[in-house]
Amino acid sequence: MDIYKQLLYILSFSFLGEVLSKVFTLPIPGSVIGMLLLFLALQFKLLKVKDVETVGGFLLGNLSILFLPAGVGIMVYFPVIKDTWWLLLIISLLTTAFTIGFIGLIVQGVKRKFEDNSVDLPKDRKDDAKSVSRTYK
């Protein structure tokens, strides 16, 4: 019974987002608004994580299967994109590579800033370690 309640919470927020998107004619999809509302409810402790944890984990674990209908739906519009499919492929590859590189730089910056790389060495060994680290920079 708990799973049904969790599913009801998630679907209710999704439905509320759809309603808000349609009523106010917002350019943002209702599902995005719904998940934003769910996030805010979790953030402000109106809803506890355990209230949506099981179903949310299941949905995240099977997210790739949820994209299949959208991928198949693109085939309906194949006559529209048949002349430019290669541009879409190149753009997808380039933006994926850019995103991976950008995230890698962000992670490196965060690691440098917040992780302590010092090692407890004897005083005479610390000077050796500093000279070695200067050599490899």
Side-chain angles (χ1 to χ4, degrees):
M1 194 66 166
D2 193 41
I3 292 175
Y4 295 120
K5 193 163 85 171
Q6 291 183 21
L7 187 60
L8 179 68
Y9 283 138
I10 292 174
L11 292 177
S12 296
F13 277 100
S14 183
F15 179 72
L16 181 61
E18 290 290 339
V19 168
L20 289 174
S21 179
K22 297 291 186 224
V23 168
F24 295 109
T25 59
L26 298 173
I28 302 169
S31 57
V32 173
I33 295 171
M35 290 304 109
L36 182 63
L37 292 173
L38 177 60
F39 169 75
L40 291 173
L42 290 167
Q43 194 67 27
F44 291 116
K45 310 272 191 267
L46 300 173
L47 194 63
K48 295 178 183 150
V49 173
K50 71 177 183 85
D51 292 337
V52 292
E53 190 171 27
T54 304
V55 172
F58 172 78
L59 290 172
L60 284 174
N62 295 295
L63 195 60
S64 59
I65 228 164
L66 299 174
F67 281 105
L68 275 176
V72 171
I74 289 175
M75 290 297 104
V76 172
Y77 296 101
F78 187 73
V80 175
I81 62 171
K82 71 178 176 186
D83 296 330
T84 58
W85 68 269
W86 59 275
L87 286 172
L88 295 172
L89 179 65
I90 291 172
I91 290 169
S92 296
L93 293 173
L94 288 175
T95 55
T96 300
F98 175 76
T99 303
I100 290 171
F102 183 72
I103 295 298
L105 290 173
I106 296 292
V107 168
Q108 285 179 346
V110 168
K111 285 182 72 152
R112 279 191 201 111
K113 182 171 180 143
F114 293 109
E115 286 186 359
D116 184 20
N117 292 330
S118 64
V119 178
D120 290 332
L121 294 172
K123 174 70 176 131
D124 59 330
R125 297 285 304 181
K126 283 187 180 181
D127 294 331
D128 292 342
K130 285 180 185 174
S131 67
V132 170
S133 68
R134 269 189 245 118
T135 306
Y136 289 106
K137 282 189 178 179

